[in-house]
């Protein structure tokens, strides 16, 4: 009977499996195949060049210098996790209007990334919203997107604003899975909110914090949407993904761009493996 029940489940899994294969695995395989060719993206023919694209890629160290931009987004992701953890902890206790605050903080994640990019273009423009607010405190106008020393910090700040709500929701879900009697026992023992966070919440949601860190690193390495919309990669804000897109669609070097995408995928997988190696997922037992 269990075998027949398992067979009945397969028709329901067929549609998502077909979509997963069609839009994830087949494109990845094609990308890998393109990386061994000199295809320009338009020609009906493409010649096999072996590892020439990878040799060309690694013989240009300037192509990897853009990874320094990812450090700004990585720092922003760290701030994002800390802020999300703070709000998740506060809103998990009895707080007035906590559902309203949850909705307000999560709402930016629901907005389309292109729309966010255009909104913050007006926010950061000279004499715009940010300059007007800072002007009330005596701070002069700045070229937030035009100054190479400020542009990446500004863009990373937009990413923090957009994705903080997602991390907050993940943390809230994990915090709510902790048995409430642990909080009651801690309160009877006179534990403060900070002590409850340190000895109950933080250990209890450690796997989710590790997951958020993995997503933060992979997101910082592959950031694309916000800098592409807001600056197009100008003023030292170009990321590795933007550079790859330009190789493919501006310089018509789809083969070289595909090899760059394969290298990026390998770097993300390596970073994820190292994180899981250094911070293994251990079953947490709270007593």
């Amino acid at each position: 009977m269990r075998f027949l029940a398992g067979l009945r489940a397969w028709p329901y899994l067929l549609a998502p499996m077909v979509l997963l294969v069609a839009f994830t695995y087949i494109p990845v395989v094609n990308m890998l195949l393109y990386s061994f060719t000199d295809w320009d993206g338009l020609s009906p023919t493409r010649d096999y060049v072996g590892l020439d694209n990878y040799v060309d890629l690694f013989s240009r160290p300037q192509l990897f210098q853009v990874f320094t931009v990812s450090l700004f987004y990585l720092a922003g992701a760290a701030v994002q996790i800390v802020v999300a953890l703070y709000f998740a902890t506060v809103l998990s206790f009895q707080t007035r209007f906590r559902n309203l605050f949850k909705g307000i903080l999560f709402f930016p994640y629901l907005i389309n990334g292109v729309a966010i990019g255009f909104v913050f273009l007006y926010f950061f423009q000279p004499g715009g919203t940010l300059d007007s607010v800072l002007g009330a405190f005596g701070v002069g106008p700045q070229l937030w997107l035009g100054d190479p020393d400020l542009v990446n910090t500004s863009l990373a700040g937009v990413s923090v604003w957009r994705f903080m709500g997602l991390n907050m929701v993940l943390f809230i879900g994990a915090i709510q899975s902790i048995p409430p009697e642990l909080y009651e026992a801690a309160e009877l023992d006179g534990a403060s909110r900070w002590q409850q966070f340190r000895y109950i919440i933080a250990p209890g949601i450690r796997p989710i914090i590790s997951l958020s860190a993995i997503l933060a690193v992979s997101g910082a390495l592959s950031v694309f949407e916000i800098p592409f919309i807001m600056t197009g990669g100008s003023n030292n804000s170009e990321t590795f993904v933007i550079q790859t897109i330009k190789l493919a669609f501006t310089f018509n070097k789809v083969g070289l761009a595909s090899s760059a995408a394969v290298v990026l995928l390998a770097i993300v997988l390596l970073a994820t493996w190292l994180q899981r190696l250094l911070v293994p997922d251990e079953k947490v037992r709270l007593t």
Side-chain angles (χ1 to χ4, degrees):
M1 293 298 293
R2 291 182 179 178
F3 177 75
L4 293 177
L7 289 179
R8 285 197 295 268
W10 278 104
Y12 297 98
L13 296 174
L14 184 60
M17 288 295 293
V18 169
L19 293 175
L20 179 65
V21 171
F23 294 102
T24 301
Y25 294 117
I26 292 179
V28 169
V29 172
N30 285 334
M31 178 182 69
L32 184 61
L33 295 176
Y34 294 154
S35 69
F36 296 107
T37 69
D38 62 352
W39 191 38
D40 60 2
L42 299 173
S43 174
T45 60
R46 43 184 181 267
D47 297 326
Y48 176 79
V49 296
L51 297 176
D52 288 354
N53 286 326
Y54 292 95
V55 173
D56 187 14
L57 188 67
F58 284 99
S59 63
R60 302 186 190 182
Q62 67 273 16
L63 295 180
F64 292 92
Q65 290 176 359
V66 294
F67 274 121
T68 56
V69 176
S70 298
L71 297 177
F72 289 90
Y73 294 94
L74 191 60
V79 173
Q80 170 186 300
I81 290 175
V82 172
V83 174
L85 193 56
Y86 169 78
F87 281 115
T89 303
V90 171
L91 296 177
S92 294
F93 294 106
Q94 292 298 327
T95 306
R96 295 184 63 184
F97 307 112
R98 62 176 180 173
N99 289 331
L100 174 62
F101 287 119
K102 288 178 185 177
I104 292 174
L105 293 172
F106 183 69
F107 180 72
Y109 180 70
L110 302 178
I111 304 176
N112 182 271
V114 176
I116 290 177
F118 282 113
V119 167
F120 275 91
L121 278 176
Y122 289 100
F123 181 79
F124 285 121
Q125 71 178 355
T129 306
L130 183 57
D131 282 342
S132 298
V133 172
L134 294 179
F137 298 93
V139 179
Q142 303 287 334
L143 294 175
W144 300 102
L145 301 179
D147 188 344
D149 295 329
L150 295 175
V151 60
N152 289 312
T153 303
S154 303
L155 296 175
V158 177
S159 295
V160 170
W161 180 83
R162 184 186 180 193
F163 293 105
M164 189 276 295
L166 174 63
N167 284 279
M168 181 195 70
V169 169
L170 293 175
F171 292 149
I172 288 177
I175 291 173
Q176 290 178 345
S177 67
I178 298 175
E181 55 267 19
L182 293 177
Y183 299 114
E184 297 174 2
E187 289 179 357
L188 290 175
D189 290 337
S192 63
R193 291 298 191 194
W194 164 249
Q195 290 173 325
Q196 291 180 38
F197 171 80
R198 180 179 178 183
Y199 296 106
I200 299 177
I201 294 178
I205 66 172
R206 186 172 58 192
I208 304 301
I209 295 176
S210 177
L211 172 63
S212 296
I214 291 173
L215 294 176
V217 172
S218 61
L221 292 172
S222 58
V223 65
F224 167 71
E225 201 172 39
I226 295 298
F228 184 76
I229 294 298
M230 297 183 64
T231 65
S234 60
N235 298 321
N236 293 332
S237 65
E238 187 174 70
T239 64
F240 193 80
V241 177
I242 293 178
Q243 181 177 258
T244 302
I245 294 296
K246 288 182 177 180
L247 285 174
F249 299 105
T250 302
F251 301 104
N252 295 328
K253 295 183 177 181
V254 175
L256 183 61
S258 297
S259 65
V262 171
V263 170
L264 177 61
L265 177 62
I267 292 174
V268 170
L269 292 176
L270 177 62
T272 302
W273 177 76
L274 288 175
Q275 281 184 281
R276 297 184 68 87
L277 182 65
L278 296 175
V279 187
D281 288 338
E282 300 178 355
K283 188 174 181 180
V284 179
R285 293 184 179 180
L286 297 175
T287 57

